Amino acid sequence: MIPELGHFALALAVVIAAAQAVLPLIGAARRDAVLMASAPSLAFGQLAALALSFGALLWSSVVSDFSVYNIAENSQSLKPLLYKITGIWGDHEGSILLWCLILALCGAAVGAFGRALPATVRARVIGVLGATSAGFVLFSLTVSNPFVRLWPPPWEGQGMNPLLEDPGLAFHPPILYAGYVGFSIPFAFALAALIEGRVDAAWGRWVRPWALAAWACLTGGIALGSWWSYYVLGWGGYWFWDPVENASLLPWLAGTALVHSAIVVEKRDALKIWTVLLAIGTFSLSLCGTFLVRSGILNSVHAFANDPARGVFILVLLALVIGTALVLFAWRAPRLQPTGIFAPLSREGGLVLNNILLCSIAAVVFTGTTYPLFAQLLAGAQISVGAPFFNAAVLPLAIPLFVVMVVGPMLSWKRAALAPALIRLWWVALAALAAGGFATFHAALFPALGFAASVWLILGAFVDIIARIGLFRLPLATSLARLGGIPLAAWGSAIAHAGMGITVAGIAGMAIAEHRIVAVTVGETVDLGGYHWTLEDLHDAPGPNYSARLADIRVTHDGRVIAVMSPGRRSYPLQRTTTTETAIRTNLFRDLYAVLGEERDGKAVLRLHVNYLAPWIWLGALVMAAGGGLSLADRRLRIGAPLRRAAAPVVTA
Amino acid sequence: MIRRLILLALLALPLASAPLVAALAISDPAEMLPDPKQEARAEAIGRQLRCLVCQNESIEDSGADLARDLRHIVRQHVAAGESNKEIIAWMVARYGDFVRLRPPFEPLTWLLWASPALALVGGGVIVAFASRQKRPAPAPLSVAEQRKLKDLLKS
Amino acid sequence: MSDAAPARGLSRRALLGIPLVAAAAAGAGFYALLRRMEAGHYDPHAVDNPLVGQAIPDFAPLPAQDPATTGFGSADLRAALHATGRPILVNFFASWCVPCRIEHPQLMAMAGAGVAIWGIAYKDQAADAAKLLGEDGDPYARLARDENGRVSIDWGLYGVPETFLIDRAGIIRGHWAGPLAPETVRDEVSPLLRAHA
């Protein structure tokens, strides 16, 4: 009964979404206030229907209703409650439903927080979101229905992939999807602007908070996924340039560019057509990221349901959404008058350079990811494009980006001089050089470059704030008093830029990580990275739906016990899979990382790592996301704040 | 023919223990080369070679049986004093360019390797084009604005 | 306004149409791949064997499956090709490999029709392989055992089963990874065998 209710609610959501697509758009075209006013209610209705549907699936999973095919395939009665809940988005059907739910949430959010928007803009934005929603909910209802029944119901479910039974992965999809789907709002704003035929500074101000929120979520989601692969997959890496990872990196790169170019629209009323294109492009890449990887075309490790029939539906849907947007762009964008003259050497010039570099990196990642496909299609040749290519191709673009990230914010709007900016940065450059030079004694060129870049980014991020409060120039009390006057957006950008520096430090640290593979008997000690690792014991340990084999390792340094860690292997009888349980001890500056391999002749094979600064990779991403959040909290950006025209240049005369 | 695809998916199972990566590369420590320099070189080569079984890992990272064999072969060749180029050529002779995670620079991949430069040039072209665009002259000041300007100039 | 203005308007329009054209091209490419995947012509995980069109790799005689029969090396294979003047299928298999059982009936049928199939057991125990062939039938004219898998790597093997078609000159003419389905035998293997007969 409950699954049927969910099924019905899903069908209802399609109808409401279709209405949400049609009525407000007609209303906006006819300037019909009543039709336009229906938009928020329809968006709320769609959200309610999808929430009901999602709730029904949740219920079926929690009570282990194995007559629902999806639950029987992916769950089992012994599974812990947390994973019964989060397991919903561990498979294709459930994750699509979650995706739709978040999209409905976006529509409702614009309905709830967009009261200050002009009526036509709000109606059009919600209408575009409704149209997108209608397509994807229809996809869920027809070819990815999570409520298909199974008769007779099996006694026990198949169980879920044990690798996914992990808290990190449990929350990775919702956050990642919030990021992906969140970019639907800037997308809808872009289409609304194209339909209206008008983009101005106010548009930039409307779009930026939504883009920032989505960007922060995407940053967090990617970091969580990377962290998961670091501690679950257990071979000491954190990013593999797998197509699925690249698919999430692409909208992140485009979204980062969008967040920056929207500033130019807002402050200088320039870069408007480009920003509209970026808003379309970012969401298009998000769509490709979530859906193309499920078609099975890409050779990825992620074994999502690879069903070509589903693939065709997805492709048609993507063609409709992206195609409509780009047709509208090609048709209407020429009408948007280019405005705003600017000098190359200015804050906006720096932001343009940032956009070029970010989009170039995105282009390289896209080319590398799809190149094997097109080589196969057009030349019948089989080639691989992997990590060595991406590392080599992205680095030359990342270095100038890091330079611009620090120098750009030092430049003033409209017209700036380079020399004063560089003078203010001399000590940062000196510190970066010193760090890099020092690192060359211990590391190869690439990690040393990374450490230099990291110091440059972290210190450089705060130079502007230091100058603003006049630290070391004015009495300390005055400086501290001025600290409160710094707008949150300035803090946000400084912190986000510093976060990038922290991530770069982590990446550089991982590049000098040490590891050893040893075969040891119980009681034996090996040395790695200045630590003594002793295998204390090997024993079995039972679990709820698995049995485990654990190795207890004592790690000492200068005679002091630093950690006792127990890496292990779990075997899940139902799924007939074995997983490795990595043991990690961190002090934030280095991770001790141990993996248990096979046992042979009374010896256990251990893989031991000392990963320097590893946690900084994800810490940096969190700091970046926090910076984005802080910018979002700025009063001037707050959604629903009274609308003002962008400060006209006349006022300052 | 769909069936063939399913069968091919089955094919991988006996060699790769876990369908969703997860296998971990723990080779027998005895297989590692005693000379750390040679071992480092072997690892560097291994990182350039794609595991044929799990496919999205290098043979250094993969836990597949075949990857282990290939790791071992790489080490034998390194110990025999072969150059990186020779060892990679040995692999390519058996598994084709598919095995190289870093694609060779050849006509087919020119576009790929040129992509960073092409992207930058493309960005430059767009900027150049946009800055060439004629912008509408700023609107003449309205009467009210002229009055305001006059006031401002006076004060 | 100069007369260059309309041209510029046109080029601006063209520039703004580029994203659409690029996306359409990418979409068409993905669609083509999807169709080929559906039709079974494209498998993102398949690895093309570079040895097709080349001579079989040299290998020293492999041990026999059991003492009653003799194993073979590349020299034996070439001698047999030369002597009979007919193509030979070389099939890599293992008793522990589930998909190998799926293709076993097809091998039996071809062997029954007079096709020479030489088998190489990949990383297999002699007893296990013998037991399997005793139960399900033995399609192999000659049988050898690649205990450590080294010879198989020289053939570019990346899984079992894999099947190679060798023409009488000792050139590899066909390669199939994964179990041979009846349709594959009918549509691909048999025509190729006839072509090189």
Side-chain angles (χ1 to χ4, degrees):
Chain A
M1 188 51 208
I2 297 282
E4 274 67 38
L5 191 68
H7 196 169
F8 172 74
L10 195 59
L12 189 67
V14 176
V15 177
I16 302 177
Q20 183 191 330
V22 176
L23 299 183
L25 286 179
I26 293 178
R30 291 199 192 146
R31 299 285 183 275
D32 181 328
V34 177
L35 282 182
M36 284 197 282
S38 72
S41 331
L42 287 167
F44 297 143
Q46 193 209 338
L47 176 63
L50 277 172
L52 186 64
S53 183
F54 194 78
L57 190 62
L58 200 64
W59 172 263
S60 311
S61 178
V62 169
V63 303
S64 291
D65 182 352
F66 295 130
S67 73
V68 178
Y69 179 73
N70 187 45
I71 307 291
E73 280 282 289
N74 299 297
S75 192
Q76 71 173 108
S77 41
L78 279 176
K79 197 160 75 169
L81 179 66
L82 173 70
Y83 300 122
K84 280 185 182 167
I85 296 169
T86 62
I88 291 196
W89 48 76
D91 61 272
H92 170 80
E93 287 82 4
S95 63
I96 292 291
L97 189 60
L98 176 69
W99 206 94
C100 293
L101 181 69
I102 297 174
L103 187 56
L105 205 61
C106 288
V110 175
F113 299 112
R115 295 213 180 84
L117 295 171
T120 53
V121 172
R122 182 167 73 149
R124 283 179 170 135
V125 167
I126 295 177
V128 170
L129 287 170
T132 315
S133 220
F136 287 101
V137 182
L138 192 65
F139 174 65
S140 172
L141 186 66
T142 50
V143 286
S144 307
N145 188 348
F147 297 107
V148 172
R149 289 279 202 169
L150 190 62
W151 196 259
W155 190 245
E156 181 56 285
Q158 303 267 311
M160 117 192 205
N161 187 327
L163 280 176
L164 308 180
E165 279 189 32
D166 177 272
L169 203 66
F171 299 105
H172 160 63
I175 297 174
L176 187 71
Y177 288 2
Y180 277 149
V181 182
F183 281 115
S184 67
I185 300 180
F187 172 83
F189 269 102
L191 293 205
L194 288 171
I195 299 170
E196 299 251 320
R198 220 168 74 102
V199 177
D200 52 20
W203 182 86
R205 198 161 51 243
W206 299 329
V207 166
R208 218 162 88 79
W210 297 111
L212 257 178
W215 178 86
C217 288
L218 191 56
T219 308
I222 293 174
L224 209 54
S226 157
W227 184 51
W228 170 78
S229 64
Y230 171 75
Y231 79 80
V232 167
L233 299 187
W235 65 82
Y238 55 96
W239 186 265
F240 306 99
W241 296 103
D242 181 80
V244 170
E245 289 171 332
N246 293 350
S248 67
L249 189 62
L250 284 171
W252 186 83
L253 289 165
T256 311
L258 173 64
V259 166
H260 288 91
S261 77
I263 304 176
V264 182
V265 176
E266 186 187 335
K267 302 271 186 195
R268 299 283 295 124
D269 203 19
L271 231 56
K272 295 188 289 194
I273 297 178
W274 171 246
T275 306
V276 166
L277 181 62
L278 265 184
I280 294 174
T282 305
F283 185 57
S284 302
L285 288 170
S286 296
L287 287 177
C288 294
T290 10
F291 292 95
L292 229 43
V293 295
R294 290 159 197 260
S295 66
I297 294 181
L298 291 168
N299 187 343
S300 163
V301 288
H302 288 245
F304 248 124
N306 288 348
D307 178 353
R310 224 176 238 168
V312 171
F313 193 118
I314 288 169
L315 206 59
V316 169
L317 202 55
L318 294 199
L320 277 177
V321 176
I322 301 171
T324 311
L326 289 177
V327 165
L328 204 60
F329 178 79
W331 174 40
R332 303 282 292 194
R335 297 186 185 201
L336 301 174
Q337 282 304 319
T339 47
I341 310 145
F342 55 80
L345 207 61
S346 59
R347 177 80 66 89
E348 54 269 43
L351 288 168
V352 167
L353 196 51
N354 137 310
N355 265 241
I356 293 177
L357 290 165
L358 280 168
C359 291
S360 295
I361 295 176
V364 168
V365 174
F366 184 83
T367 311
T369 310
T370 55
Y371 210 82
L373 298 182
F374 289 101
Q376 172 90 44
L377 186 70
L378 301 175
Q382 248 186 351
I383 58 163
S384 302
V385 179
F389 167 81
F390 289 108
N391 290 337
V394 168
L395 192 67
L397 294 170
I399 290 170
L401 183 66
F402 294 157
V403 173
V404 178
M405 269 174 75
V406 171
V407 178
M410 295 289 111
L411 303 174
S412 54
W413 294 100
K414 291 188 198 167
R415 196 172 295 276
L418 196 57
L422 294 185
I423 288 169
R424 282 160 72 193
L425 287 169
W426 70 268
W427 63 274
V428 178
L430 206 64
L433 273 179
F438 179 70
T440 45
F441 291 115
H442 304 279
L445 183 65
F446 165 70
L449 208 61
F451 286 122
S454 145
V455 168
W456 166 256
L457 285 170
I458 296 173
L459 294 180
F462 294 103
V463 167
D464 188 40
I465 287 182
I466 289 173
R468 281 202 208 193
I469 61 168
L471 192 65
F472 309 129
R473 215 159 32 79
L474 301 174
L476 193 63
T478 322
S479 295
L480 291 179
R482 283 194 185 186
L483 215 52
I486 305 282
L488 281 179
W491 279 116
S493 109
I495 287 173
H497 284 201
M500 188 73 220
I502 295 174
T503 296
V504 170
I507 292 171
M510 278 296 274
I512 57 166
E514 298 174 58
H515 77 269
R516 250 187 106 172
I517 299 167
V518 289
V520 285
T521 50
V522 173
E524 208 174 327
T525 301
V526 291
D527 292 340
L528 174 71
Y531 299 93
H532 307 291
W533 311 61
T534 312
L535 178 63
E536 298 264 274
D537 191 18
L538 274 168
H539 58 94
D540 293 318
N545 53 351
Y546 58 83
S547 60
R549 178 88 177 146
L550 295 177
D552 296 336
I553 301 170
R554 191 167 43 114
V555 185
T556 58
H557 180 65
D558 290 339
R560 226 156 30 85
V561 178
I562 304 287
V564 177
M565 42 209 292
S566 305
R569 276 191 319 265
R570 283 182 190 173
S571 58
Y572 290 78
L574 191 65
Q575 294 94 333
R576 275 182 289 172
T577 341
T578 307
T579 63
T580 54
E581 297 299 310
T582 315
I584 301 173
R585 287 288 177 282
T586 185
N587 66 357
L588 285 185
F589 290 98
R590 54 104 192 95
D591 278 2
L592 303 175
Y593 185 108
V595 186
L596 171 64
E598 50 200 83
E599 288 165 54
R600 216 182 298 142
D601 314 325
K603 285 188 166 198
V605 176
L606 297 176
R607 186 169 174 142
L608 309 172
H609 296 247
V610 179
N611 294 333
Y612 300 104
L613 297 184
W616 288 34
I617 296 174
W618 309 287
L619 197 71
L622 274 185
V623 171
M624 273 189 258
L630 212 55
S631 277
L632 204 57
D634 194 305
R635 230 203 118 267
R636 295 173 305 164
L637 272 176
R638 198 172 299 152
I639 310 152
L643 298 174
R644 284 171 294 154
R645 277 287 308 166
V650 182
V651 182
T652 51
Chain B
M1 283 319 243
I2 296 282
R3 196 162 141 212
R4 173 145 175 250
L5 285 174
I6 299 165
L7 292 180
L8 276 174
L10 270 176
L11 154 79
L13 284 177
L15 284 180
S17 49
L20 202 140
V21 258
L24 91 157
I26 284 201
S27 38
D28 195 334
E31 284 177 8
M32 289 170 71
L33 293 171
D35 177 357
K37 261 199 184 135
Q38 285 192 336
E39 174 62 25
R41 186 157 80 89
E43 262 175 48
I45 297 170
R47 298 216 175 278
Q48 309 255 324
L49 297 172
R50 186 172 189 169
C51 169
L52 284 303
V53 180
C54 12
Q55 301 209 345
N56 279 37
E57 296 169 78
S58 76
I59 59 168
E60 281 301 313
D61 297 326
S62 169
D65 203 26
L66 182 65
R68 177 159 51 194
D69 287 352
L70 293 179
R71 273 201 298 273
H72 195 53
I73 289 171
V74 167
R75 277 159 181 76
Q76 284 178 333
H77 286 247
V78 167
E82 280 183 36
S83 72
N84 295 14
K85 232 182 200 165
E86 285 170 318
I87 297 171
I88 288 178
W90 191 93
M91 290 288 170
V92 170
R94 283 153 185 81
Y95 293 107
D97 277 335
F98 187 83
V99 81
R100 307 178 65 163
L101 281 171
R102 184 197 188 99
F105 189 71
E106 55 183 33
L108 180 70
T109 57
W110 280 350
L111 212 55
L112 176 70
W113 283 105
S115 61
L118 287 179
L120 280 181
V121 168
V125 166
I126 294 174
V127 168
F129 187 89
S131 59
R132 247 174 9 106
Q133 287 286 314
K134 272 224 171 73
R135 285 158 211 289
L141 295 182
S142 67
V143 180
E145 280 168 338
Q146 270 175 354
R147 200 178 305 134
K148 200 171 177 184
L149 181 66
K150 222 176 261 170
D151 288 349
L152 279 169
L153 285 175
K154 239 184 261 170
S155 60
Chain C
M1 282 302 237
S2 67
D3 50 359
R8 185 169 290 175
L10 190 69
S11 65
R12 180 162 184 254
R13 225 164 224 298
L15 194 69
L16 295 176
I18 288 176
L20 179 64
V21 174
F30 282 124
Y31 181 72
L33 278 173
L34 214 53
R35 292 311 299 261
R36 288 171 66 163
M37 201 164 88
E38 257 184 305
H41 299 313
Y42 170 64
D43 171 18
H45 293 276
V47 182
D48 291 342
N49 194 306
L51 290 174
V52 175
Q54 297 198 23
I56 54 165
D58 286 321
F59 59 98
L62 289 168
Q65 183 65 29
D66 62 81
T69 56
T70 48
F72 63 86
S74 52
D76 301 305
L77 199 52
R78 276 198 210 94
L81 289 162
H82 188 74
T84 60
R86 289 174 52 215
I88 290 178
L89 288 182
V90 175
N91 177 257
F92 290 82
F93 74 104
S95 61
W96 44 261
C97 142
V98 182
C100 296
R101 304 221 168 184
I102 299 173
E103 77 168 4
H104 192 263
Q106 281 72 263
L107 297 180
M108 290 302 290
M110 278 194 286
V115 177
I117 307 176
W118 290 28
I120 297 181
Y122 175 77
K123 291 198 173 181
D124 211 352
Q125 299 294 321
D128 295 344
K131 184 162 168 269
L132 175 85
L133 297 175
E135 282 167 9
D136 295 354
D138 182 357
Y140 301 113
R142 296 282 289 269
L143 206 52
R145 202 152 47 85
D146 186 14
E147 228 173 335
N148 60 10
R150 278 305 169 84
V151 168
S152 303
I153 287 174
D154 285 341
W155 284 73
L157 193 86
Y158 69 100
V160 271
E162 282 190 36
T163 308
F164 294 82
L165 190 153
I166 326 290
D167 73 5
R168 61 183 154 230
I171 309 291
I172 296 175
R173 292 297 175 189
H175 168 244
W176 295 270
L180 294 170
E183 305 90 74
T184 317
V185 172
R186 189 190 64 212
D187 301 336
E188 297 173 28
V189 185
S190 299
L192 209 57
L193 277 170
R194 276 195 296 277
H196 290 287

